[in-house]
Every structure is written in structure tokens, then in C-alpha cells.
Amino acid sequence: MSRPLAVAVGSLGVPASFAAYRYARVMERQGKLPTTNLAFFSESEDQHKQRVLVIGGGVVGVTCAYKLAKSGKQVVVLEPRSAPGKECSACAAGGMQKSNPVVDRGTWMAVLQSMFPLPTWLGGSGETYRFFHLHYSQTLSDPFFLRWLYTFTHTSIFPDDDQQDKRVEQLKFTKYAVDDLLKMMRDQRDNMAKVSGYNTRGSVNVSYDPPIDVVKEKKPEEEEKSGSPASGMSYEPCRKLSGPELFEVEPSLSLMTVPPTSANYEHASGSANSERFTQELAKRCVQDEKLDVAIEYNTCVKGVSTIISDKGKPQISHLHTNRGVIEVQKDVKVVVAAGAWTSHVLALMDLYAPVYPLKGYAMTVSAKEALQSNPNLKAEDLPSRIVSDKYLYTSRLGDDIRITSIGEFSGWNTSPDPDVDKEFRRESLSRMPHLTDLINKAKTYCGHRPYISDGLLLLGQIPSHENLFVSVGPGSNGWKLAMGSGDIIDRLVDGQTEEKIEQDCGFNIKALAPAGRVLPAPFFSKLCRIRWDI
């Protein structure tokens, strides 16, 4: 063998040996998991009651359990944390607009330009605030991110012929889901609206561009039908605000360091605190005698065993957790609703799901504390609804003023990066300089938005497995879609066909199905687990 060839072979051997070592360590830890049998399903008088295991206790998982139990099923939720809704659900802006952002060429360019800003002499914008951040060592060394990035790029620049049709179906589903959520919020006999800080004042998406001298006047009915440009696709009635009317609708805007010149006002939309919603719904699930739900906290799925079903497909037979082993009987369905962690859970089953975490930053200040600490402040000086621009969201959720921003690709780490946090705080202070003291002392917390590479919800049965379903994404929209996605999972578990669901609900659920998107990937999944050390 020539020396150059020997060096090349040797160089391949080092990473291969390291990978083998890492995989051996992963499997060794698997072998040391507790073997205690965990029997979470209680004895039921109805022996024919359908049983469902839900992996994930965020807003999507808890709402799914609620919907399943409402239709008479016995449900067990597995949540690795000590309480429900403590990650992404706790960081959401809380918007409930009947609209969807779009993953397209413009999205791809925005991500690229934010992560790799051009100097002004090459046509760059010169903006100092970057919404998107990329942690190079965490992402470019991860084969999962590279595959996800390829899919995201391909979908954005070279979308399939039916991609627009799928977006339309997702928008129909979004309206269906938000309407279902609004039923609960508007029910006078239900205190959910009060508990979750439900806000009916709509949202304003502001612009700082110089006012245009000549503006085509729209008829009122045209204003009502137009969708917000900030929302991509929308059913929300929207009208343009500018001049004095802008500050009459939202007086707090006048205190911004650079006051906006105009805004798109979605006056019929709502918002609520998804964390409090999740916690209240979880409490109802376990306390309501009519709902057969158990939530097992501090229970993390770390391994999965399968058998081959009578139909020749893999079927989940055991879930190996940090507390012991859960035997999954043949009649039990498994729903993965683990947000951005869904890709980790499905990798344990040798499956690839195009879900990567987009870390968001959030902080909350108290409106009551703001007014008490500064006697010069008036109630109208504080945001009264969602106020957003292309970088920052500020939501008024009861007493909470929730500030959210940043899209950071940095793996599954939920700790704020000090430099990014500094940018986040600086931008927050420019919007609300009158809350400087409260913003400076507020704690920044992070959650993972489950960013799906094609921008479409993953919802339905995974065709490669007999008893496996998924409900995740897309991005920050999961909370407002949770009631609808829970309803669809319930229908699919009952055996309803996609045609029947379309007939009843008015949208084609095939557009959101996992088929062709969640794929068997035995070797790739093991490679990712080596990288993730899980």
C-alpha cells in the first residue's frame, strides 16, 4: 500500500473507531437502564376501552391527552420534566391568529442573510440585530442538522408541485384548530380564558419604513378580506394603521425609541399564555373523574423495543425509561408529541423526522410591578395586545408582558447564549425603554420551537409502524393548533379514514401526514444517536 493511501485509510479509521466507541457507550447505558416493570394503565371496568400512551407533556401532548380522554379513552402521558408545559410552551408569544408563516425562498434568504450578513457596500441592510443565529460547532458537526438543512433548502428553493396546495390545506386546518380553541376560551362557564390571560385586543405588526406619499385607498370590505403580509397566509381580517390612529389604537408605541410609522392591525385575533393553559388543562385531565388520564412526570423515554405485528410491520412493544420498562400491549397506541425532541424519540425507533430545534428567547415582566415601581407610568403606556415587528414579539397575557425573539440553531441546548441574550435585551430595551429596570432584571429563558423543514405540521400515523402516531410542529404554531391536532389524532386512533376526516372537518389531512416525511433510517439514526450521545 502506498504511503498516501495508508494515510487516507488511517484517517478514516480514527473517526470510525471513535464512532464505534461512542455507540458502544450509548448501548452500555441502555443496558444499565432500570428493568422495573411500570404498569401505568389502571384497571378499567370497560375492558374494551382504547388505551393510548402519549410521549410529551407540553401543550400538544397534554391537549392530545385531553381530546383522547374526552372521547372515552384511557391515556397515560410521559413527561421528562417535573411539570407540564415547561419548555417551548413556557416561551411562546401566545398568538392565536388564523394564519401561517410560509417556508419559501424568501424564508431561506432571510435565514441566510441573518446568519451571514453582507456588508453595506455589497448590498447588505446594515442592520445590527440578527434574528437568526447559527452555532457552528453544534450544527455543522451534526449529520442530522446537515440533512435537515438540505431538506429545508430544497423545499424552500425547489418546492414540490403540490407544496402550495399543502399550505392551503394547513391554513384550513389552522382555522379549524383555532376555532376549536376559541370555543373553550369563549365559554362563559369555563374559567380557562381567565386562567390563561386570554386577550381579545388583536395584534399590531409594526413597520418603521418612511411613510409613502401616495397610497391606494382600499374599500372597507377589501381591508377585511386582506391578510397580514407578516403572516404569509391568513384568514385574519386586517387593516392598515398610520399617523395618529396608530397611537390611538396602541398608545404604548409612542414610547418606543424609534416609533413606528405604520402597522397591520389584525383586530379580531386573540392570544393567551400557553404555559398556563397547559397547566390548567393537565390539572383537569387528572382531577376530572370523567377523564381517564394519568401524567407521569420525571419519566424520560431512553429506548424502544419493537416486535413484528401480524401485518408484518414493526410495532412498539416496550418503552425503556429512566424509571423502568413500560410494556406496550398490542392494543395500545403510542403518540409522539415531544416537540423538538420528537426527532430524538423517533431516532430510538430507527426513524428520521425532519424536526430541528429553533431555540427561542423569552422574558416576562409584570405589568402590575411596572406601574407600582414607576409612578409616572400609566396603564396605557404598557402594551395592551400583541405588538410585533420582524424581530420582536411583545404579548400582553393578563398581568404578564411576554417578550420573545431570536431563532437560534444550536442543537438541543436550552441555556441562553450570553452574547445572543445581550442582543435580545438590547433590542427589547429599544422597544420599551420605560421598562428598563424590569427588563434588566428579568430572567431569560429558552425553549425549542420544533422547526419542520417544509413548514408543515407532522400529524398522523407513521405508516412504517403499526401502532405509532406523531403530532409535532410547525415551529411556534404548535400551541394554537393543539386542540385541532388532538382532535385529529383522536379520530385516527378511532380508525377514521382521511376521506371521512376531510368530509367532517373541511380539509385534506393527507397534506400534513408523516408519509414520505418520517422515514425509516436505521443506519442514519444510529449515526445521529452517536453524535447526540443518546
Side-chain angles (χ1 to χ4, degrees):
M1 181 184 297
S2 67
R3 181 174 176 78
L5 182 58
V7 171
V9 172
S11 65
L12 288 174
V14 172
S17 299
F18 180 69
Y21 164 75
R22 289 275 295 236
Y23 188 66
R25 193 170 71 170
V26 167
M27 297 312 294
E28 182 182 4
R29 280 204 306 271
Q30 289 265 311
K32 292 181 179 179
L33 289 173
T35 57
T36 307
N37 288 324
L38 302 175
F40 289 145
F41 285 109
S42 60
E43 292 295 328
S44 173
E45 295 179 2
D46 184 359
Q47 298 298 319
H48 299 290
K49 180 180 282 192
Q50 175 67 62
R51 297 181 294 173
V52 184
L53 271 166
V54 177
I55 300 175
V59 65
V60 174
V62 168
T63 309
C64 182
Y66 174 77
K67 285 287 190 175
L68 290 162
K70 286 280 284 186
S71 68
K73 299 174 181 61
Q74 187 178 16
V75 187
V76 172
V77 179
L78 307 178
E79 168 53 42
R81 296 164 194 81
S82 58
K86 282 299 181 183
E87 198 192 276
C88 187
S89 304
C91 299
M96 296 164 57
Q97 295 96 328
K98 298 173 187 176
S99 59
N100 291 325
V102 173
V103 171
D104 58 10
R105 189 185 299 264
T107 311
W108 186 84
M109 287 300 297
V111 172
L112 191 69
Q113 290 173 1
S114 189
M115 292 190 298
F116 308 104
L118 291 172
T120 52
W121 57 273
L122 280 179
S125 64
E127 294 178 340
T128 58
Y129 185 72
R130 291 188 300 142
F131 179 84
F132 288 102
H133 289 257
L134 182 70
H135 194 295
Y136 297 103
S137 64
Q138 288 293 327
T139 54
L140 301 183
S141 64
D142 185 350
F144 185 91
F145 176 79
L146 296 177
R147 181 171 178 174
W148 178 92
L149 183 62
Y150 169 79
T151 310
F152 171 66
T153 302
H154 188 273
T155 304
S156 301
I157 301 177
F158 308 107
D160 294 338
D161 294 339
D162 61 350
Q163 186 71 6
Q164 180 61 22
D165 294 336
K166 291 178 179 178
R167 290 171 185 159
V168 171
E169 295 304 320
Q170 177 166 266
L171 184 60
K172 293 177 184 177
F173 168 75
T174 299
K175 182 179 184 302
Y176 173 84
V178 173
D179 283 342
D180 196 7
L181 180 58
L182 288 173
K183 286 179 187 177
M184 178 178 284
M185 294 296 181
R186 292 170 176 170
D187 188 342
Q188 297 297 317
R189 300 162 298 176
D190 196 316
N191 72 337
M192 182 60 85
K194 182 178 180 180
V195 171
S196 59
Y198 176 49
N199 188 325
T200 61
R201 297 186 185 96
S203 68
V204 290
N205 181 263
V206 304
S207 171
Y208 309 97
D209 296 332
I212 301 173
D213 293 333
V214 181
V215 179
K216 182 182 176 182
E217 197 68 35
K218 286 187 178 181
K219 297 177 182 179
E221 61 269 20
E222 290 177 331
E223 290 280 7
E224 288 293 312
K225 291 178 181 178
S226 66
S228 165
S231 301
M233 301 181 70
S234 180
Y235 278 115
E236 291 292 344
C238 176
R239 63 188 179 93
K240 198 82 169 179
L241 300 177
S242 60
E245 185 186 17
L246 173 58
F247 302 106
E248 289 171 9
V249 169
E250 184 53 53
S252 69
L253 296 175
S254 64
L255 298 179
M256 296 173 67
T257 303
V258 179
T261 56
S262 63
N264 291 302
Y265 180 27
E266 294 181 342
H267 48 87
S269 66
S271 57
N273 188 313
S274 64
E275 179 184 15
R276 293 182 182 175
F277 174 88
T278 306
Q279 292 170 347
E280 173 64 20
L281 204 61
K283 184 171 72 173
R284 295 182 186 187
C285 282
V286 297
Q287 292 182 357
D288 190 336
E289 294 180 356
K290 297 178 182 178
L291 303 177
D292 195 348
V293 179
I295 303 180
E296 297 294 334
Y297 296 111
N298 303 306
T299 306
C300 182
V301 175
K302 293 182 173 292
V304 179
S305 297
T306 61
I307 59 174
I308 300 301
S309 71
D310 297 337
K311 297 180 181 179
K313 290 184 178 181
Q315 178 171 323
I316 309 302
S317 61
H318 295 84
L319 298 178
H320 304 268
T321 77
N322 58 310
R323 295 175 56 192
V325 181
I326 304 169
E327 183 180 2
V328 182
Q329 300 288 343
K330 288 186 176 182
D331 65 302
V332 175
K333 309 297 184 185
V334 178
V335 180
V336 180
W341 298 91
T342 294
S343 44
H344 275 208
V345 175
L346 292 180
L348 299 174
M349 308 173 196
D350 286 341
L351 293 170
Y352 166 76
V355 185
Y356 193 82
L358 183 66
K359 185 162 71 176
Y361 284 56
M363 68 174 77
T364 301
V365 300
S366 164
K368 182 179 179 180
E369 185 180 355
L371 294 172
Q372 289 176 343
S373 61
N374 186 348
N376 295 320
L377 276 183
K378 303 183 291 295
E380 56 266 30
D381 295 333
L382 304 177
S384 62
R385 52 177 56 80
I386 286 182
V387 176
S388 65
D389 55 25
K390 61 181 179 180
Y391 293 136
L392 206 76
Y393 261 75
T394 303
S395 311
R396 183 63 181 271
L397 309 171
D399 179 58
D400 291 344
I401 300 173
R402 170 77 53 81
I403 309 168
T404 59
S405 186
I406 302 295
E408 183 183 334
F409 296 106
S410 59
W412 282 261
N413 172 23
T414 55
S415 299
D417 179 283
D419 292 334
V420 177
D421 186 33
K422 193 178 297 183
E423 282 190 60
F424 173 46
R425 289 176 179 275
R426 185 177 66 242
E427 199 70 10
S428 301
L429 289 169
S430 75
R431 304 299 193 277
M432 290 171 287
H434 50 297
L435 299 181
T436 295
D437 291 342
L438 293 180
I439 289 174
N440 283 336
K441 73 176 185 179
K443 179 182 178 182
T444 298
Y445 44 103
C446 297
H448 290 143
R449 308 180 191 103
Y451 204 160
I452 299 176
S453 59
D454 60 6
L456 298 172
L457 181 68
L458 272 174
L459 181 63
Q461 183 165 9
I462 295 176
S464 61
H465 284 61
E466 187 65 35
N467 60 340
L468 184 59
F469 298 77
V470 66
S471 178
V472 61
S476 57
N477 277 4
W479 122 257
K480 70 182 181 186
L481 304 182
M483 291 287 277
S485 57
D487 179 62
I488 297 303
I489 290 292
D490 180 55
R491 291 170 180 268
L492 292 171
V493 167
D494 277 342
Q496 283 193 22
T497 64
E498 293 170 334
E499 291 73 21
K500 172 63 174 170
I501 293 173
E502 182 173 11
Q503 180 182 339
D504 289 350
C505 305
F507 51 84
N508 184 359
I509 198 62
K510 290 180 182 178
L512 310 176
R517 301 162 72 205
V518 176
L519 304 170
F523 176 77
F524 184 75
S525 295
K526 290 178 176 62
L527 186 64
C528 292
R529 290 176 62 191
I530 291 169
R531 170 61 179 80
W532 300 332
D533 201 21
I534 65 168

